[in-house]
Amino acid sequence: MNRRILCQFKDDSGELLGTPIDLPIDIDKHGLEKLCQALISSEKDQEVEEDVPYLFFVNENEISSNLEEALKNRNDFEKTTEIVYQPQAIFKVRSVTRCSSTIEGHTEAVISVAFSPDGKQLASGSGDTTVRFWDLTTETPLHQCSGHKNWVLCVAWSPDGQKLASADKNSNIMIWDSETGKQIGKTLCQHRQWVTYLCWKPLHLDEDCRFLASSSKDSTIKIWDTIMSSCIRSLSSHTQSVTCVKWGGKGLLYSSSQDRTIKVWRPDDIKN
């Protein structure tokens, strides 16, 4: 014989939903969801999404499988059993299926890109040997910079957004004025193999945005004075290509290499 029990639904604020209803004691969670949705739709005159999940509680015990399981320690079934329901939030993620826009202009593969510090411009380096500045509001080109003789492998904005450094596969580094697109100073060329990464000294340590660090396939890191267009430090301890260089906020320089090491430098203490 199927046992039945008188139940009253209420939300977590205590508001009753409908009148007490006679339910089979072995009703499962899915059955409670269907019943609760029907009651909400009829009592509150609301459209209920069928895929909204609910949690149900009896005496603060969650009904995870069926009502009988949640009532296993209860012997008094003559009183009305209150079932608290809680709708759960559903996060629906819309898949990205379309490209919102395309910025064209380079005639060969784009190899490197970097946002300006204010996020209003984008710089790109390409296999067509040019560096381009783009206005991200209008998605139109601002400057096309020519001077490199090989692929532009990396670009890096100065922290103040006034300059851009770019490096190519011929190991040359060039500094550009972001306002005019013109080259600043001379081409920096002391690496023996191509440049892998560029990093400016942080603004709070270098208000003039004067110093730039570069890493190279030649296993060295070089620090440049971009105003004097000269190399002021050459750091060599890695045994293989240096893949990345980062300037820390306290003046330390960090480099990683294919030799499987990360080295920490104190460049201000090093003399050539």
Side-chain angles (χ1 to χ4, degrees), residues 4-9 17-24 27 32 35-36 38-39 67 80-81 83:
R4 303 183 73 83
I5 186 170
L6 192 65
C7 297
Q8 172 68 63
F9 284 100
L17 177 64
T19 57
I21 186 169
D22 192 36
L23 297 176
I27 186 171
L32 290 172
L35 180 58
C36 187
L39 288 172
L67 181 58
T80 301
T81 299
I83 300 177

Side-chain angles (χ1 to χ4, degrees), residues 79-93:
K79 295 181 179 179
T80 301
T81 299
E82 292 185 336
I83 300 177
V84 178
Y85 67 94
Q86 293 179 354
Q88 301 300 291
I90 292 182
F91 298 94
K92 296 182 179 180
V93 179

